[in-house]
Amino acid sequence: MNKSVSEAVIKRLPKYYKHLKELEISGLTKVSSGKLAEMLNITASQVRQDFCNFGGFGQQGYGYDVGRLRTEIANILGLNRTYNMIIIGAGNIGRALASYKGFVNEGFSIMALFDVVTNDKRVTDNIPLYPMEELENYVNNNQVDIAIIATQRESAQEVANRLSELGVTNYWNFAPVELKLDNKCIVENVYLSESLNVLSYRMNNN
Amino acid sequence: MNKSVSEAVIKRLPKYYKHLKELEISGLTKVSSGKLAEMLNITASQVRQDFCNFGGFGQQGYGYDVGRLRTEIANILGLNRTYNMIIIGAGNIGRALASYKGFVNEGFSIMALFDVVTNDKRVTDNIPLYPMEELENYVNNNQVDIAIIATQRESAQEVANRLSELGVTNYWNFAPVELKLDNKCIVENVYLSESLNVLSYRMNNN
């Protein structure tokens, strides 16, 4: 389904969802495409066009029903289910993600951390830290929906290969490499250095 | 300068830079637009078009000089200078960024952390942690090129307002809010939840 949805629209969906949650918390029950457009810094016609990809969500004269629209977009984003995640790499980023509470409410749970070094005692509210040798055993015996790659750049591809052979198809990658994996694999990257370099570009070219 | 450079090109510049560093490390001295295109998963003509925004970088018959191209793109990205950064919010993300060594080599240094709570002893290789009351005093007496916002969502805007009044114009924002600041301010966002939601979208719509 939704094969033709553009990258730009996909990237806006979480923004709609975030703003609709805020509106719902603030007690608003109806919202216009104009108001949503303003929140996302796009045009009202772009909002309606975006929503047309998903059947339009039945805007009425007074606008969209906030709760219903939030639910529909949550469903499209796959937030109507839960995800078991493991983190490979218990360095600074891996540990920060393990301790971060913000994802759990949306159904994303960190089940385990893996690292070559497991004697670091700084870990992490009840999330077990396993040695890398346990990876195969763990993945074979537990549901792993998403693997978070938080290793050093040098190890990332090898770790992803191991996971892919075990049947893990979904990757949230924080290592500064482009993972080369099967076409059936889905990789979403967070490249912190690139983001920082875009900032420094703007600082020097504005 | 470079006023007309598109967002897409700006976002590709750090990717070119990253790949050129790798090529340089691997000992390659010349690279074709076709090879760069392959590395970025775009077309060779797109590469040449991107580079035209910056004068073309003088491709010769055998391609670009790797070292020279890396240096030129580094300069465009503002990586020929250093940046003093402070982090507001010493939670999981703030501490992870403070401990992360990956930025320092490119000239980005974390000078200080600020938080409302300063009695947490988990801190961070030689980076001082100050109470929020010290923010004004610190910024008035030290060069702050970039403020990293790693607070709770509820505090992010207020903290950014304080910094903006102190004359800080550049923000790397990890809080899940869109900061509303002066037009002269530059904000680059890292929205982890949005990235994770794009991943879950693809998992459910591929």
Side-chain angles (χ1 to χ4, degrees):
Chain A
M1 64 181 276
N2 306 328
K3 276 209 171 60
S4 61
V5 179
S6 76
E7 284 298 299
V9 175
I10 293 170
K11 286 200 194 320
R12 276 198 292 274
L13 285 173
K15 294 184 193 291
Y16 287 118
Y17 178 68
K18 185 169 73 173
H19 288 302
L20 287 162
K21 269 199 304 185
E22 286 164 13
L23 292 174
E24 204 171 28
I25 288 166
S26 78
L28 216 77
T29 57
K30 287 277 185 183
V31 64
S32 64
S33 50
K35 172 73 178 165
L36 284 169
E38 193 190 311
M39 295 178 99
L40 271 88
N41 211 10
I42 56 178
T43 66
S45 127
Q46 184 67 68
V47 170
R48 290 189 296 268
Q49 212 173 303
D50 285 1
F51 289 178
C52 269
N53 284 289
F54 310 99
F57 302 129
Q59 185 185 27
Q60 317 258 313
Y62 296 118
Y64 302 96
D65 181 287
V66 170
R68 192 187 137 206
L69 187 56
R70 189 195 59 74
T71 305
E72 296 222 36
I73 293 180
N75 292 348
I76 291 166
L77 288 171
L79 303 181
N80 51 352
R81 50 167 285 202
T82 58
Y83 299 87
N84 288 347
M85 310 201 288
I86 60 172
I87 300 177
I88 321 297
N92 300 314
I93 298 290
R95 281 166 202 278
L97 292 170
S99 308
Y100 187 65
K101 301 283 177 285
F103 309 130
V104 182
N105 297 337
E106 303 291 358
F108 299 90
S109 300
I110 312 269
M111 311 306 286
L113 272 159
F114 291 84
D115 203 309
V116 283
V117 182
T118 55
N119 60 359
D120 189 326
K121 297 305 179 205
R122 287 176 303 160
V123 186
T124 42
D125 335 62
N126 303 317
I127 297 172
L129 172 62
Y130 297 115
M132 283 303 289
E133 300 86 71
E134 289 292 322
L135 187 65
E136 279 71 16
N137 186 39
Y138 183 93
V139 177
N140 285 329
N141 290 288
N142 294 275
Q143 174 75 20
V144 174
D145 300 305
I146 297 171
I148 302 177
I149 309 293
T151 64
Q152 304 284 335
R153 62 174 296 131
E154 294 77 14
S155 328
Q157 182 65 55
E158 183 203 323
V159 162
N161 290 345
R162 271 172 77 177
L163 288 160
S164 175
E165 274 179 36
L166 293 163
V168 175
T169 54
N170 307 303
Y171 298 85
W172 200 23
N173 175 43
F174 286 76
V177 293
E178 269 145 73
L179 299 175
K180 290 178 179 29
L181 292 165
D182 260 18
N183 277 341
K184 69 174 190 295
C185 290
I186 299 169
V187 182
E188 179 70 18
N189 298 302
V190 178
Y191 292 142
L192 294 180
S193 283
E194 290 188 14
S195 169
L196 189 54
N197 290 353
V198 167
L199 177 59
S200 64
Y201 171 86
R202 292 192 211 282
M203 289 170 64
N204 290 280
N205 295 278
N206 257 26
Chain B
M1 67 182 274
N2 306 326
K3 278 212 169 56
S4 61
V5 179
S6 77
E7 285 296 299
V9 175
I10 294 170
K11 286 199 194 320
R12 275 198 292 275
L13 286 173
K15 295 185 194 291
Y16 287 117
Y17 179 69
K18 185 168 73 175
H19 289 302
L20 287 163
K21 269 199 306 185
E22 287 163 14
L23 292 174
E24 205 171 29
I25 289 165
S26 78
L28 216 76
T29 56
K30 287 278 185 182
V31 64
S32 64
S33 51
K35 173 72 179 167
L36 284 170
E38 194 190 310
M39 295 177 101
L40 271 87
N41 210 10
I42 56 179
T43 66
S45 127
Q46 182 68 67
V47 171
R48 290 188 296 269
Q49 212 173 303
D50 285 1
F51 290 179
C52 269
N53 285 289
F54 309 99
F57 301 129
Q59 185 184 28
Q60 317 257 312
Y62 295 120
Y64 303 95
D65 181 286
V66 169
R68 191 186 140 209
L69 187 55
R70 189 195 59 72
T71 305
E72 297 223 36
I73 293 180
N75 292 348
I76 291 167
L77 288 171
L79 302 181
N80 51 352
R81 47 167 287 201
T82 58
Y83 299 87
N84 288 347
M85 311 201 287
I86 59 171
I87 301 177
I88 321 296
N92 300 314
I93 299 288
R95 280 166 201 279
L97 293 170
S99 308
Y100 187 64
K101 301 284 177 285
F103 309 131
V104 181
N105 295 336
E106 303 291 358
F108 298 90
S109 301
I110 312 268
M111 311 307 286
L113 274 157
F114 291 84
D115 203 309
V116 282
V117 182
T118 55
N119 58 0
D120 189 326
K121 297 303 178 204
R122 286 177 303 160
V123 187
T124 44
D125 336 64
N126 303 318
I127 297 171
L129 171 60
Y130 297 114
M132 283 303 288
E133 299 87 68
E134 290 290 322
L135 187 64
E136 278 72 16
N137 187 38
Y138 183 92
V139 176
N140 285 330
N141 290 289
N142 295 275
Q143 173 76 20
V144 175
D145 300 305
I146 297 172
I148 301 177
I149 308 291
T151 64
Q152 304 284 335
R153 62 174 295 130
E154 293 77 13
S155 327
Q157 182 65 56
E158 184 204 323
V159 162
N161 290 345
R162 273 174 75 177
L163 289 160
S164 175
E165 274 178 35
L166 293 163
V168 175
T169 54
N170 306 303
Y171 297 84
W172 200 22
N173 174 43
F174 287 77
V177 292
E178 270 145 74
L179 299 176
K180 290 178 179 32
L181 292 165
D182 261 18
N183 277 341
K184 70 174 189 297
C185 290
I186 298 170
V187 183
E188 179 70 19
N189 298 301
V190 177
Y191 292 143
L192 294 179
S193 285
E194 290 188 14
S195 170
L196 189 54
N197 290 354
V198 167
L199 177 60
S200 64
Y201 171 87
R202 291 193 211 281
M203 289 170 65
N204 290 282
N205 295 276
N206 259 25

